[in-house]
Amino acid sequence: MVRVVPDIPAVHRWFDYVVPDALDPEVRLGSRVRIDLHGRRVGGWVVEDRVTPPAGVTPRAVALSSGEGPPASVVDLAVWASWRWAGPVSSFLGTASPDRVVRRPAVPARPHPRTVTSPGGASVGLVATALDRGSSTVLRLAPALDANLPALELVHRVGPDGVLALAPSHARAVHLADRLRRAGAPVALLPDGWAAAAGGGRVVVGTRAAAWAPIGRMRAAVVLDAHDEAYREERSPTWSAVEVVAERCRRDGAPLVLVTPCPTVALLEGSALAVTDRTVERRGWPAVEVVDRTGDDPRTGLFSERLVTLLHSVLDRPEGRVVCILNRTGRARLLACAHCGAVARCTRCGGSVGQPEVGGELRCGRCGSGRPAICAECDSSRLKLLRMGVSRATEELSALVGVEAVEVSGGAPGTPEGVGARLVVGTEAALHRVGRADAVAFLDVDQHLLAPRFGAGEESLGLLARAARLVGGREAGGRLLVQTRIPDHEVLQAAVHGDPARLTDPERALRRELGLPPFGALALLRGAAAESYAGALRAVDTVSVSSPSADRWLVRADDHPRLCDALAATPRPSGRLRVEVDPTDV
DNA sequence: CGGACAAGCTGA
DNA sequence: CAGCTTGTCCGG
């Protein structure tokens, strides 16, 4: 008799089924099965073995086996994650399961077919220390240094079996898998290599979802660019791959190495910090030029003299290449009347309006309503631009330097536009799409620094680190230029000095003072049923509830156990309810 | 989630 | 009161 979690998000109950003799060899803890539930056949996972059903219940038989599922340790982990992120167990079991039916596990890779070679480099000694420590270590490695090396060194020291390596993007996971194979390690690359991973004896490599890899017992793990937001699932439940891996390593007593050029306060809390030599780290950041635009008229545009000089000096070289980052899509994002000076606003909701087409109508970015391009105050049809978007910036920049600029923003990754261009203008997406550059310029870095999120500073430094990787370190001649009205900002100082502690030290103090994560835990409630759920939570004395805006409720507690216990113990009202534990906004 | 069933509304 | 919609309940 087994207990089964149905693969239906809205059904939170577990049900008991008899395992028929014919299915007995295949069905075990973690297996995927099909069951008859309430008149229909649905998928599910075995989450308990040899159970005794409650009195008065006569279980039906398991209908079919759907093959391999996560190992027992990962089933336990899913139950923990369900508590930690207030989501259904089934969603985590789904992430932990193979895409296609796997009938039997792969044969384990033969133990140590070849010795994995040590890559050498600045991080070798630091990896050794981290492994000896046996717990979690943040390895701060400047952006121009190869983040794959600590992963190679780790496998060199502990071997491939039971080792998990995560990368923030599929491309980087593929690259890391190649490097490991060339170094002599057997590798299972997720998601395709699920069965191979379950077979054991291989380093398991993958992205966010690989945090749920079928490894029975972890021996060590490494996360590349552990600060990267890609490790957070944005859809509800909003779990974090770094925290999932950290929990697995904690449970199995395995060392965890979090490699990152710019640790976040949350990563540093609960981990030891290992740093390279100060001069090595400094050289691993490019030269950063901060252009102070405090005195400039807001309408002088996005292009300082220093920027134009930099563009010319790079573009005069035959292969020279510059990427300009502006975090606003569209052509014109903020307009004002040339006659009376009134800012053009939406007549319906009062939001700012932009002008998507040359000479076209005005459109509100907030409510989407459109109106003719005429000043609402004085009827003048002459509007001037206060803040331009990427499209307009691309046009103006081409004219300014006499080199054709190519716009690269969002869209499908890997599209070839802009890949060969020498002058690229785009949103931060361009940093993911362009391979190499001689210089990166942030046309308005304040947009990032002042974003209305408490993690905005850390995210901004992450962006600068990503740009740093495109241009290389100080020795390689890489250049970053940032235009700002806040030249003393900790984020910019951290980048200028190649010293992330200049951000994390004050940031930690601020978080502690305000009781923000990691010094306190938050959950954001939204949806039609959020109000009544928030009302029920007000009665729990370990949490406090506030409402930052009309349809959102924020639940605070001193730590995650208190927060998660309160969320789990409070019955959910029917109706739409989205619970986001550890929200980044507000 | 989606089927079952009850309550509520409508038109001949 | 059949025929339909809408809402609530519940699953082994």
Side-chain angles (χ1 to χ4, degrees), chain A residues 337 339-340 371 373-383:
Chain A
C337 177
H339 181 66
C340 74
R371 66 175 174 89
I374 292 168
C375 176
E377 303 297 318
C378 71
D379 289 344
S380 164
S381 61
R382 278 179 53 229
L383 297 171

Side-chain angles (χ1 to χ4, degrees), chain A residues 435-529:
Chain A
R436 182 205 62 84
D438 299 286
V440 175
F442 288 82
L443 301 183
D444 184 4
V445 79
D446 301 348
Q447 285 275 310
H448 302 278
L449 297 177
L450 302 177
R453 291 185 293 275
F454 67 77
E458 293 176 338
E459 288 171 23
S460 302
L461 190 58
L463 219 50
L464 293 174
R466 182 177 287 280
R469 210 163 264 160
L470 293 192
V471 302
R474 224 157 277 250
E475 250 90 293
R479 299 279 295 277
L480 290 189
L481 183 143
V482 293
Q483 300 189 134
T484 181
R485 290 168 187 279
I486 325 164
D488 298 329
H489 198 289
E490 297 93 17
V491 167
L492 303 181
Q493 292 307 309
V496 165
H497 294 95
D499 181 11
R502 293 193 186 223
L503 170 64
T504 43
D505 290 348
E507 183 78 18
R508 184 184 298 106
L510 182 71
R511 299 272 185 98
R512 186 172 271 137
E513 193 182 315
L514 299 180
L516 286 170
F519 309 104
L522 303 176
L524 188 63
L525 315 178
R526 276 179 284 184

Side-chain angles (χ1 to χ4, degrees), chain A residues 62-77:
Chain A
V62 170
L64 288 166
S65 161
S66 308
E68 295 279 307
S73 60
V74 175
V75 172
D76 273 352
L77 189 74

Side-chain angles (χ1 to χ4, degrees), chain A residues 334-399:
Chain A
L334 188 62
L335 299 139
C337 177
H339 181 66
C340 74
V343 171
R345 297 172 71 190
C346 174
T347 45
R348 187 160 134 224
C349 76
S352 65
V353 292
Q355 192 173 30
E357 304 282 328
V358 184
E361 69 169 8
L362 305 177
R363 189 157 293 279
C364 175
R366 196 193 293 168
C367 73
S369 66
R371 66 175 174 89
I374 292 168
C375 176
E377 303 297 318
C378 71
D379 289 344
S380 164
S381 61
R382 278 179 53 229
L383 297 171
K384 64 187 176 189
L385 207 56
L386 286 188
R387 286 203 190 130
M388 67 179 78
V390 170
S391 303
R392 179 61 186 261
T394 309
E395 293 163 20
E396 293 208 350
L397 210 49
S398 294

